[in-house]
Each structure stands twice: as structure tokens, then as C-alpha cells.
Amino acid sequence: MNAIEITNLSKTYAASGKSPEKHALDHVSLTIPQGSIYGLLGPNGAGKSTIINILAGLVLKTSGSVKIWKTDIDENPRQTRSNIGIVPQELNFDPFFSPRRLLDLQAGLYGVPKSERRTEELLKLVGLLDKADAYARSLSGGMRRRLMVAKAMVHTPPILVLDEPTAGVDVELRNQLWESVKILNKQGLTILLTTHYLQEAEELCDRIAIINHGKVVADEDKETLLSRVEAKEITLRLDRDLASIPESLLRFSPQKEGKRTLAFRYSPKETNAGEIITATQQEGLGIVDLSTDDRDLEDVFLQLTKS
Ligand code: ADP
Ligand code: MG
């Protein structure tokens, strides 16, 4: 079963004042499997928060459909809200409430009976039990973020959504948050998070969608995305024009780039540059120049998101 199904979702923000209308999402389709940690990765302005805010019911979509836990958000917004907990990018809460009071109020808002409230358990989970009765305004940025995670969980939703959970958070707190996310996922929660940090998606997620200018440019399990990263490239410039690719080189599936250049993409597990060069020379072709390229996730990301 899928936790969230997003189909052809588009959003155009109306023009206001001097800003023209903005097509923030353009036919976005994404499927978030139950039990996964799913990362929505993209540069600032890509449209990540717009997606999250539509899930949260804070932004109205222009077109398309969204199903949360099998229920369409248009058909039963109440039902869908009960199945999802959302930690927004912008933290807003009353600074004069204590964490305990804040969680109690939120539980009340969701109609969770007193006997079923998990205030203590949630505060413990996010490491704030010793701050339960402190003013929220006295909490550090990282603590506030963790308090928001607890707040999103008061109604025990099966899906937790985190919009840029570690933006502006220091390394230690980031690691703590990652650990909390992993624990929650092990307990059975489906996690959807947005980030513009590659490393975060790589560390945490089992599936990653890359979004840019409101469009999905990749949506793959992490291993597949990383295998693209492991690809290497060697480009050979030859001493003569080639009418066609010599038969003996076809097994390396080269790309002909212009009359005298062959580009080979290969996996280091399968072959190496030496074999490719030897095979080329055995064809009687002289190599005038060569260049190699090691690709990492950053390259793949840049390649996919260059406008
Ligand atoms: P991300 O979260 O990936 O940084 P956003 O979803 O916040 O991206 O924004 C996507 C685009 O939509 C950006 O160009 C942003 O300026 C624009 N945008 C976001 N919110 C609004 C709004 N309320 N009104 C107009 N434009 C908006
Ligand atoms: Mg955002």
C-alpha cells in the first residue's frame, strides 16, 4: 500500500502587487510507499514546501489529486488530517506555553481523549522531558524543532512529514534529529522529508525524488540513484575521422561525439579505462587526447537540476 499518492499536482500562485503569477508546481506525480523514508530533494524555490503545504491543507492546489492513506484530500480533509503529522519549515508556536502545555493543547485540538494522550512519551522521544515545563521561548532552535516533531505526533498519525528539518541546525542536533527519524521509521512510521542537502537524503532516505522548478526530474530508490553516481566517463579524441563505431568497441557502448571523439560511460565494476584504451588502439586508432570524469551525487544532482 502507498502512504501518499500525488497525481499531476499543479500549483499556480496568483499575481500580487509587483510579483507576476508563479507556476510553483507543474504536474508533479509521486508515490510514497508505506514504511519508507522518502526524500524530496531540490534547491531553494523548487516547490518542496508548496507540496508539503498542500498536504497540510495550508495551500490550495490548482489541479491534480492527492491521496493520503487511500483517502482523497478533497473528499475527506478531516480523515486525511488525522493520518498525517506535519512539521512545517517555518516554526510557529506561542513562546509562553511550556512544551507539556503545547502538546496538551494540540492533542485537544485533534480530539485525543485525556486518557490516550502521549505527552510524556513524546517529550521523552524528542529528548525534551527535562524541559517539559520550561517556557518554549527559552528553548534552543534545535529543541524547538524537536518540539514541533512531538507536536506533529500527538494524534499518532501513520505518516510524518518534515519540511527541511535540519535547515540551519548544527551538526550535533542534525545527527540527533536523524536518529529520531530513524527510530520513528523503525516503529512503523512512513516519513516524508524535504531537504536541499544531498547528504541528508543520502544518509536517511530509501527513496529520493529530485524536484526542480516545480517538476520531478528523478524519482528512484537510493541505490539506483547512487549507481548513477558510480558511473565513470572517459572521452577519447582520435587521430582520424570515424565513419562508424568499430565493432570491437560496441561492447563498451560508446557515444560518438563529433567525427573524432568517443565518450564511454562505464561502471568500474565491469571494466576500466585501460581496457577501453587498449581495445581502441587494437583497432589501429591513435589517441590524441583523453579526459576522464568521476561523478558523484553532487554531479548527478547538478546535472538534473541545471536549468
Ligand atoms: P522550496 O520549498 O522548494 O524552497 P517553495 O514551494 O517554497 O519552494 O516555492 C516554490 C516557488 O513558489 C518559489 O518560486 C516561491 O517564490 C513561490 N512561492 C511560494 N509561496 C508563494 C506564495 N505564497 N505566493 C507566491 N509565490 C510563492
Ligand atoms: Mg521550502
Side-chain angles (χ1 to χ4, degrees), residues 63-75:
S63 61
S65 75
V66 177
K67 276 188 185 173
I68 296 175
W69 220 247
K70 285 212 165 135
T71 306
D72 192 296
I73 54 168
D74 292 337
E75 278 159 25

Side-chain angles (χ1 to χ4, degrees), residues 48-49 89 163-164:
K48 304 180 298 295
S49 292
Q89 185 171 358
D163 195 2
E164 305 258 1

Side-chain angles (χ1 to χ4, degrees), residues 23-85:
H23 299 286
L25 298 178
D26 183 5
H27 295 87
V28 167
S29 294
L30 295 170
T31 302
I32 290 100
Q34 193 181 340
S36 58
I37 304 186
Y38 193 104
L40 206 51
L41 177 67
N44 282 325
K48 304 180 298 295
S49 292
T50 300
I51 295 176
I52 302 309
N53 292 336
I54 290 171
L55 295 177
L58 298 171
V59 165
L60 286 178
K61 61 187 162 63
T62 305
S63 61
S65 75
V66 177
K67 276 188 185 173
I68 296 175
W69 220 247
K70 285 212 165 135
T71 306
D72 192 296
I73 54 168
D74 292 337
E75 278 159 25
N76 197 338
R78 222 184 124 85
Q79 171 81 28
T80 52
R81 258 203 307 278
S82 75
N83 281 326
I84 198 164

Side-chain angles (χ1 to χ4, degrees), residues 203-238:
E203 162 78 24
L204 273 182
C205 301
D206 26 64
R207 198 173 170 89
I208 299 173
I210 299 180
I211 171 166
N212 193 36
H213 296 304
K215 287 195 170 85
V216 177
V217 292
D219 180 9
E220 289 168 349
D221 66 64
K222 181 171 66 187
E223 301 312 322
T224 312
L225 201 64
L226 289 175
S227 70
R228 291 213 215 180
V229 171
E230 281 162 16
K232 288 181 171 256
E233 216 170 74
I234 180 167
T235 305
L236 304 182
R237 200 150 60 80
L238 306 169

Side-chain angles (χ1 to χ4, degrees), residues 221-271:
D221 66 64
K222 181 171 66 187
E223 301 312 322
T224 312
L225 201 64
L226 289 175
S227 70
R228 291 213 215 180
V229 171
E230 281 162 16
K232 288 181 171 256
E233 216 170 74
I234 180 167
T235 305
L236 304 182
R237 200 150 60 80
L238 306 169
D239 62 352
R240 72 201 71 168
D241 291 0
L242 279 184
S244 62
I245 296 168
E247 195 126 338
S248 69
L249 297 182
L250 287 176
R251 66 190 163 107
F252 301 113
S253 341
Q255 291 280 321
K256 205 160 157 281
E257 295 181 349
K259 287 184 182 134
R260 297 188 171 197
T261 303
L262 290 177
F264 300 81
R265 283 275 302 278
Y266 65 95
S267 157
K269 284 187 205 113
E270 282 154 19
T271 185

